[in-house]
């Protein structure tokens, strides 16, 4: 277009002014010469006009070509932009950082969108007017004693089951011992973390609980190791009738028996509904952490809400990507060759029977990832949260052990959500020193902060996440608890043709029904994650 305008201006300048050579003092010769000049000029102008026409056509073609080129470039740029938003790899990797397009924040970002449509309330609490249905201490069928093994939440489930089993057999429960775990390396007593007085008093109308082994029993030191005093080989998820038929007779005979092992040794569908309700009563009402733990957790929650000038909602993220979890999963993750070799050596040492020679692990890892049985990496969590609409400014509390891969592995998540903190960053060292004496106490702080967060996000299965989601359902299901569909994420993140817009739609639609609402139970669905029946009632 610029060249076209230039040609037109040049043609105009070639046309003489109408006043040139037209003075009143002209002679006939000059008139003749002028007439001859005009004829020559007219001829010259015609020739020049012809040249101008050809030049104009040529320049028009060039301009048209340039215009088409500009339009083509604009189209390609627009297509590139659309392709960028629908990039096959969803987000652009810039060093250790991930850059994903922003997503419009939905109105239900911080609350359960369907909470108002539900009509369930908790109903496992102690009835004040209930009459105690207990045998006297002299008429008890005997005493049972357990070691609660594993981490904090596995121990919690064991304690709830122990109370239920004592009720089934009309036995007296000796306060459980929290057994030192090989992984946690923590020797914590029941009274170091739980409020014993509240525990015994709240359950006094259900089960007799004593603090210690009766004085008349003289074999205290070898109670749990004596074969004569131990009931072994209790089946996993045993029915109530098994205890009545096989355990109760021995308790009546020996008066005191220890039960070993005792992890998941009571079923869900094959016990009376009142027993399941009792387990919920223990879990949600009787088992309370010590006041000092609850007060510190409340301070952490308050600091999370007030990290900026105004009060903010916050998310609690249970990130399960510790070395032990990564190794035990036997999944394959993005890593350097050296990291993969070291992980293979670690797995061979810790789980030699499962590792064998390692040749079968690749196909196993692919199958587990396809089925959604692998822990989510921090970067995968970041992409999922961005697709759900959580902005960069989101306040996130991370409940996690030492992440495998350290800061490099955490970098994509921290870069996308910089307002990410742990309890060690929220509290002064001196504040946490008292709780460092027992690893279980630190786990209790994480448990309570996650329980009270506005949104809770789990990244892998386990008792911690199961109990948090169950408690949030029981106490008030308006709180959103996100349980990722790892099968969907695995399929989408591994699809080279999956675009960002399609990925966002899939994530949002799929997780609308995975926000922690009470769900109808089905056979063998444990009550810890979904205490709908019989622990909750319709309003």
């Amino acid at each position: 277009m610029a060249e076209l305008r230039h040609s037109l201006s040049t043609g105009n300048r070639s046309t003489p002014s109408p006043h040139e050579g037209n003075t009143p003092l002209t002679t006939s010769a000059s008139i003749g010469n002028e007439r001859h000049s005009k004829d020559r000029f007219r001829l010259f102008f015609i020739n020049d006009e012809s040249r101008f026409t050809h030049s104009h056509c040529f320049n028009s073609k060039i301009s048209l070509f340039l215009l088409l080129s500009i339009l083509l470039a604009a189209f390609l740029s627009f297509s590139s932009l659309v392709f960028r938003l629908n990039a096959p790899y969803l987000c652009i990797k810039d060093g250790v950082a991930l850059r994903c397009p922003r997503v419009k924040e939905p109105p239900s970002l911080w609350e359960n969108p369907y909470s108002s449509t539900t009509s369930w309330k908790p109903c496992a609490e102690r009835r004040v007017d209930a009459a105690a249905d207990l045998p006297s201490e002299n008429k008890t069928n005997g005493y049972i004693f357990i070691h609660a093994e594993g981490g904090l939440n596995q121990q919690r489930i064991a304690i709830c089951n122990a109370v239920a089993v004592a009720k089934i057999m009309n036995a007296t429960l000796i306060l459980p011992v929290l057994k030192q775990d090989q992984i946690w390396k923590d020797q914590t007593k029941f009274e170091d973390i739980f409020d014993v007085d509240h525990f015994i008093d709240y359950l006094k109308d259900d089960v007799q609980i004593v603090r210690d082994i009766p004085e008349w029993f003289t074999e205290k030191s070898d109670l749990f190791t004596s074969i004569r005093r131990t009931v072994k080989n209790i089946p996993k998820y045993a029915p109530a009738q098994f205890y009545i038929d096989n355990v109760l007779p021995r308790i009546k005979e020996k008066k005191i028996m220890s039960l070993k092992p005792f992890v998941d040794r009571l079923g869900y569908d094959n016990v009376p509904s009142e027993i399941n309700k009792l387990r919920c009563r223990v879990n949600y009402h009787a088992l309370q952490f010590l006041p000092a733990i609850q007060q510190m957790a409340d301070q952490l929650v308050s600091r999370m809400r007030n990290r900026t000038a105004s009060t903010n909602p916050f998310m609690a993220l249970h990130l399960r990507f510790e070395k032990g979890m990564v190794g035990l999963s036997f999944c394959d993750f993005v890593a350097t060759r050296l990291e993969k070799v070291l992980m293979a050596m670690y797995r061979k040492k810790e789980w030699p029977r499962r590792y064998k020679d390692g040749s079968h692990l690749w196909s196993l890892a692919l199958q587990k990832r396809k089925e959604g049985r692998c822990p989510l990496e921090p970067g995968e969590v970041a992409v999922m949260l961005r697709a759900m609409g959580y902005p960069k400014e989101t306040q996130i509390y991370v409940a996690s052990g030492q992440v495998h891969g350290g800061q490099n592995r955490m970098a994509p998540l921290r870069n996308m959500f910089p307002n990410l903190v742990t309890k060690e960053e929220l509290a002064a060292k001196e504040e946490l020193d008292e709780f460092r004496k027992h690893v279980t106490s630190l786990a209790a702080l994480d448990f309570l902060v996650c329980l009270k967060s506005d949104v809770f996000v789990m990244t892998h299965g386990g008792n911690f996440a199961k109990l948090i989601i169950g408690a949030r359902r029981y106490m008030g299901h308006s709180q959103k608890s996100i349980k990722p569909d790892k099968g969907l994420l695995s399929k989408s993140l591994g699809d080279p043709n999956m675009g960002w817009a399609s990925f966002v739609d899939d994530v949002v639609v799929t997780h609308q029904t995975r926000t922690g609402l009470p769900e109808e139970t089905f056979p063998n669905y444990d009550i810890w994650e979904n205490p709908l029946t019989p622990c909750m009632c319709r309003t």
Side-chain angles (χ1 to χ4, degrees):
M1 292 296 293
E3 290 189 16
L4 182 60
R5 286 194 298 270
H6 176 71
S7 300
L8 289 174
S9 62
T10 304
N12 289 335
R13 283 197 300 271
S14 300
T15 306
S17 171
H19 299 289
E20 286 181 6
N22 193 19
T23 63
L25 299 175
T26 54
T27 60
S28 58
S30 64
I31 293 174
N33 291 335
E34 182 182 353
R35 193 175 290 135
H36 178 67
S37 295
K38 286 182 177 180
D39 292 340
R40 283 171 38 194
F41 177 74
R42 190 178 294 114
L43 180 61
F44 172 79
F45 181 77
I46 291 173
N47 291 337
D48 187 62
E49 188 178 34
S50 175
R51 285 195 301 272
F52 168 74
T53 302
H54 288 296
S55 175
H56 176 71
C57 292
F58 178 74
N59 288 335
S60 297
K61 292 180 180 178
I62 294 177
S63 299
L64 182 61
F65 174 77
L66 290 174
L67 180 61
L68 292 174
S69 299
I70 293 171
L71 291 174
L72 179 61
F75 175 77
L76 292 176
S77 298
F78 178 75
S79 300
S80 176
L81 178 62
V82 173
F83 181 79
R84 189 182 183 87
L85 293 176
N86 271 304
Y89 298 105
L90 303 178
C91 301
I92 300 171
K93 189 173 183 181
D94 183 7
V96 295
L98 286 173
R99 307 197 184 282
C100 302
R102 289 187 73 97
V103 176
K104 184 179 179 181
E105 298 179 29
S108 60
L109 194 64
W110 292 103
E111 61 183 15
N112 212 324
Y114 301 110
S115 61
S116 60
T117 66
T118 60
S119 56
W120 294 92
K121 67 174 184 178
C123 60
E125 64 273 12
R126 180 180 63 182
R127 297 205 324 257
V128 178
D129 58 344
D133 182 23
L134 296 173
S136 65
E137 187 174 348
N138 293 330
K139 293 183 179 180
T140 181
N141 286 326
Y143 293 77
I144 62 172
F145 178 75
I146 70 158
H147 269 176
E149 302 177 355
L152 169 65
N153 298 288
Q154 189 171 333
Q155 292 172 345
R156 189 183 189 100
I157 292 174
I159 293 167
C160 296
N161 286 338
V163 173
V165 167
K167 179 68 174 179
I168 290 171
M169 299 187 295
N170 281 327
T172 299
L173 176 66
I174 300 170
L175 196 68
V177 170
L178 308 185
K179 186 180 179 182
Q180 180 176 351
D181 186 77
Q182 293 181 352
I183 297 177
W184 291 93
K185 306 293 183 185
D186 182 43
Q187 186 60 59
T188 303
K189 296 179 181 179
F190 192 102
E191 57 267 27
D192 291 332
I193 187 167
F194 296 114
D195 188 333
V196 177
D197 292 334
H198 176 79
F199 178 71
I200 295 176
D201 181 69
Y202 198 90
L203 297 171
K204 65 183 180 181
D205 295 332
D206 295 296
V207 179
Q208 285 183 354
I209 303 173
V210 295
R211 291 175 177 267
D212 203 354
I213 300 170
E215 293 182 359
W216 54 262
F217 184 71
T218 58
E219 304 174 30
K220 295 182 182 181
S221 59
D222 62 345
L223 173 61
F224 205 70
T225 58
S226 172
I227 296 177
R228 295 185 300 108
R229 295 285 180 180
T230 302
V231 179
K232 290 189 174 183
N233 303 320
I234 299 175
K236 203 169 186 181
Y237 304 117
Q241 195 63 40
F242 175 89
Y243 286 92
I244 295 173
D245 295 341
N246 300 280
V247 181
L248 182 56
R250 297 194 62 185
I251 291 177
K252 286 182 175 180
E253 177 189 357
K254 300 290 185 180
K255 296 304 179 184
I256 293 183
M257 295 294 291
S258 61
L259 309 182
K260 179 182 180 181
F262 201 69
V263 178
D264 296 326
R265 286 318 192 252
L266 182 63
Y268 303 106
D269 297 299
N270 47 24
V271 299
S273 61
E274 283 302 314
I275 295 298
N276 277 334
K277 183 173 288 188
L278 174 60
R279 293 155 99 178
C280 290
R281 188 174 303 135
V282 179
N283 187 29
Y284 302 125
H285 300 283
L287 268 181
Q288 289 189 1
F289 294 114
L290 291 173
I293 296 176
Q294 295 193 53
Q295 291 168 11
M296 188 68 231
D298 288 341
Q299 290 186 41
L300 294 176
V301 170
S302 177
R303 291 171 190 177
M304 281 301 302
R305 297 196 192 283
N306 296 281
R307 294 190 68 227
T308 58
S310 57
T311 302
N312 298 290
F314 76 95
M315 172 190 294
L317 173 64
H318 184 220
L319 187 59
R320 296 207 71 190
F321 207 76
E322 305 91 346
K323 182 179 180 180
M325 177 52 60
V326 172
L328 182 60
S329 71
F330 279 85
C331 293
D332 186 63
F333 299 95
V334 176
T336 65
R337 181 175 298 179
L338 176 60
E339 288 173 333
K340 287 180 179 290
V341 170
L342 293 176
M343 178 53 67
M345 293 171 60
Y346 173 70
R347 286 171 171 166
K348 186 175 182 179
K349 177 185 176 182
E350 296 294 330
W351 303 279
R353 290 185 178 180
R354 289 187 60 187
Y355 186 83
K356 299 178 183 177
D357 61 356
S359 59
H360 67 294
L361 295 181
W362 176 245
S363 58
L364 174 65
L366 290 177
Q367 183 65 24
K368 293 187 73 172
R369 184 165 292 280
K370 184 184 297 184
E371 295 172 355
R373 294 191 289 137
C374 294
L376 292 178
E377 296 188 46
E380 293 173 331
V381 176
V383 175
M384 178 191 73
L385 294 179
R386 179 55 52 82
M388 290 179 176
Y390 290 97
K392 184 177 183 179
E393 299 75 26
T394 301
Q395 304 288 330
I396 301 179
Y397 178 92
V398 177
S400 171
Q402 184 64 41
V403 173
H404 177 60
Q407 294 302 318
N408 285 340
R409 183 74 66 172
M410 283 292 293
L413 176 60
R414 190 175 289 276
N415 175 269
M416 197 174 295
F417 297 98
N419 296 324
L420 181 148
V421 293
T422 62
K423 57 182 173 295
E424 288 78 12
E425 294 169 303
L426 277 179
K429 179 180 179 299
E430 297 75 19
E431 290 180 298
L432 295 180
D433 281 345
E434 185 64 26
F435 302 97
R436 295 184 199 278
K437 297 176 183 178
H438 305 291
V439 176
T440 311
S441 298
L442 294 175
L445 291 176
D446 280 341
F447 184 93
L448 288 173
V449 175
C450 289
L451 187 63
K452 298 177 181 182
S453 64
D454 297 280
V455 171
F456 172 70
V457 181
M458 60 170 286
T459 61
H460 197 50
N463 292 319
F464 183 101
K466 183 191 300 183
L467 287 170
I468 290 290
I469 292 177
R472 289 165 70 90
R473 277 175 166 152
Y474 180 80
M475 297 298 183
H477 39 265
S478 61
Q479 295 175 301
K480 183 184 288 189
S481 301
I482 299 174
K483 185 177 181 180
D485 186 338
K486 294 186 292 180
L488 169 73
L489 293 174
S490 172
K491 178 182 178 181
S492 299
L493 295 173
D495 184 356
N497 298 314
M498 173 63 73
W500 176 251
S502 300
F503 177 70
V504 169
D505 288 342
D506 287 350
V507 168
V508 171
V509 171
T510 301
H511 290 87
Q512 282 180 347
T513 57
R514 302 176 71 90
T515 58
L517 291 175
E519 300 173 358
E520 293 295 337
T521 54
F522 50 85
N524 298 321
Y525 193 100
D526 67 68
I527 60 175
W528 312 119
E529 184 174 345
N530 186 24
L532 181 62
T533 54
C535 303
M536 300 180 73
C537 307
R538 287 194 179 276
T539 55

